[in-house]
Amino acid sequence: MTTGVTGWGILSAAGVGPQVFADALHGRRGTRHPIDTMYDEVLPEAQAHVVTDFDIKSHLGRKGTTFYDRGTGLALVATAQALEDSGLRVDDKNRRRVGVVFGTTAGSLSSTMTFSKDTLIQARPYLVNPALFPNTVMNTAAGQAAIRFQLKGVNTTLAGGPVAFLNVLRYAQNTLDRLRADALLVGAVEEFTPHSAWAGRHIGITPGEAAGVFVLERADEARRTGRQVHTELSPVVCRFSPGGPTVDAVLACADAALDQAATTWDALSHSLISGTDGPMAAHIRAAMALRAPRARQLDLEVTFGDCRAAAGVVQLAASLVVGAAAALMVGWSEDGALAAAVVRGCADVRGHRG
C-alpha cells in the first residue's frame, strides 16, 4: 500500500500559507524578524524566525478560539488549510474514519510553565484559570483540531523532538495500512515564546516557529475519488542508536529507507536533514553528499530556524515546493532516535505551488 499527500497547509517564519513558504525557500522573502515588541518579557535575541502578526481570530473567527494558546492556534490554521487544499469533505458518513496524528516536543512550554507559575503566585485557593489547563497537556492541538473540525477517528500525539513528524508519518502509515482510518491529518507544531526562546539559548539552537498539516490517505483510493495526490511516501524507517546518534547509524537508517522505497542514493534529487545543528550535522551532510553527489541539499534551518518537532513538516513542505522527484528526509535526536523516509513525485505538482 502506498500513502499519499492530498492536501497541506503550513505556517512558518515566512508567513501563512504555502506560497509565502515557497517564496522564502527560493530567497524571495525574509524569515528573520524583529521581536522586540512581540512580548513584554525580555528575550535573548532581537530577531527570530517567527510567524509575525499572527492573529488566530482573523483566521478562524472569535468563536471557540479565546483560550487557544499560540501553538494550538497555529496548528488549527494549518489544519484548515490542509482540509481546504485536499478537497476532502468530512460529514456524518466519514467523520469516524478521519483522524488526527500530531507530533510535538513537549507540548506548549509556555502554557505549562505559566500555569504552573500561577499555582505558586496566585492567592489561595490557587486562583488559576481552569480554562487554561487543557493547554498544558501535550495533545491539546490534536484534540482541539478534532473538536473544531469534528474529526472522530484516531486521535494521537507523539512526542519525539526532531524526529516527531517522521514518527507521526510511520504511525499514520501503519494506521491506514490496517484500515483503521481512511484519511489522517498528520502534522506538527512548534511555537515561539519567551520560554522557548530562552530554552533554545540554553541548549544552543536558533529556535524557529512553524506548524504544518498534511492530509494523508491511501494513494490509490484518493486517486479513484478524483483528488490529486501531491506526493507519495515510502514506508518510514525508525531506529535507535544506543549512546546517541552517529554518522554510521544515521546513514544505515537512510539506507534502510532507500531499500523500502526501492531506490538508490544516485536516484535522489534532494536530501533534507533535521537534528541539532553542529559538527554532527556537518559530518552527516558531508557523508550524504558523497553518497548522493547529484542530490541538492536544502539547509532549512538557515531559512526557518530549528523548528524541532516541526522540522519534519518543513522538510516535507520544502520537498513539495521545490518539486522534488525523489527526496530523502532524515532526522535524529540527541538521545539516539533516528528516522528516514523517501518522498516521490513532487515534480508532478510543482506548478501547483510555483
Side-chain angles (χ1 to χ4, degrees), residues 10 67 71 77 81 87 103 121 129 131 136 138 145 171 175 183 269 278 285 303 335 343:
I10 190 162
F67 295 110
V77 172
Q81 291 178 353
I121 66 173
N129 186 348
T136 67
M138 287 193 289
Y171 182 95
T175 302
S269 63
R285 286 193 183 95
T303 305
D335 60 2
V343 297

Side-chain angles (χ1 to χ4, degrees), residues 160-167 169 236-241 244-247 249-255 257 265 271-277 280-281 284 288 300-301 306 308-313 315-316 327-342:
V163 297
F165 183 63
L166 285 166
N167 291 340
L169 290 177
V236 177
V237 174
C238 296
R239 290 187 172 179
F240 180 67
S241 175
T246 65
V247 174
V250 172
L251 292 179
C253 185
D255 285 338
W265 288 95
S271 62
L272 311 95
I273 69 172
S274 63
T276 302
D277 208 353
M280 176 70 179
I284 291 175
M288 291 175 64
L300 300 174
E301 289 186 7
D306 187 336
R308 304 299 285 175
V313 301
Q315 287 183 330
L316 184 51
L328 174 65
M329 299 168 53
V330 176
W332 69 89
S333 66
E334 296 88 341
D335 60 2
L338 317 169
V342 174

Side-chain angles (χ1 to χ4, degrees), residues 90-99 150-154 180-182:
V90 180
D91 53 28
D92 289 342
K93 295 179 180 177
N94 68 352
R95 68 177 75 258
R96 292 188 180 280
R97 300 287 297 169
V98 181
Q150 300 184 53
L151 310 174
K152 297 187 177 181
V154 172
R180 293 179 177 174
D182 291 332

Side-chain angles (χ1 to χ4, degrees), residues 8-12 21 102-103 162 164-166 168-169 186-190 209-214 274 300 307-320 329:
W8 63 293
I10 190 162
L11 295 84
S12 68
F21 181 88
F102 282 176
F165 183 63
L166 285 166
V168 163
L169 290 177
V186 299
V189 59
E190 202 72 65
E209 183 175 59
V213 176
F214 303 81
S274 63
L300 300 174
C307 296
R308 304 299 285 175
V313 301
V314 173
Q315 287 183 330
L316 184 51
S319 300
L320 286 162
M329 299 168 53

Side-chain angles (χ1 to χ4, degrees), residues 254-273:
D255 285 338
L258 292 169
D259 287 343
Q260 288 287 336
T263 190
T264 64
W265 288 95
D266 289 338
L268 293 176
S269 63
H270 295 77
S271 62
L272 311 95
I273 69 172

Side-chain angles (χ1 to χ4, degrees), residues 26 33 39 48 72 78 104 107 148 150 210 222 260 273 298 301 322 351:
H26 292 132
H33 310 286
Y39 293 103
T72 301
T104 184
R148 186 166 194 92
Q150 300 184 53
Q260 288 287 336
I273 69 172
L298 300 181
E301 289 186 7
V322 301

Side-chain angles (χ1 to χ4, degrees), residues 116-205:
S116 300
K117 179 182 176 183
D118 282 349
T119 66
L120 299 173
I121 66 173
Q122 297 296 334
R124 292 186 176 183
Y126 310 112
L127 297 176
V128 297
N129 186 348
L132 298 179
F133 178 76
N135 294 335
T136 67
V137 297
M138 287 193 289
N139 64 344
T140 296
Q144 293 290 1
I147 292 169
R148 186 166 194 92
F149 299 103
Q150 300 184 53
L151 310 174
K152 297 187 177 181
V154 172
N155 194 282
T156 303
T157 297
L158 301 175
V163 297
F165 183 63
L166 285 166
N167 291 340
V168 163
L169 290 177
R170 179 181 171 89
Y171 182 95
Q173 287 175 330
N174 288 337
T175 302
L176 292 169
D177 190 37
R178 288 163 174 73
L179 305 180
R180 293 179 177 174
D182 291 332
L184 293 170
L185 280 296
V186 299
V189 59
E190 202 72 65
E191 64 182 12
F192 181 91
T193 65
H195 306 78
S196 64
W198 284 107
R201 166 66 70 88
H202 179 69
I203 62 176
I205 67 170

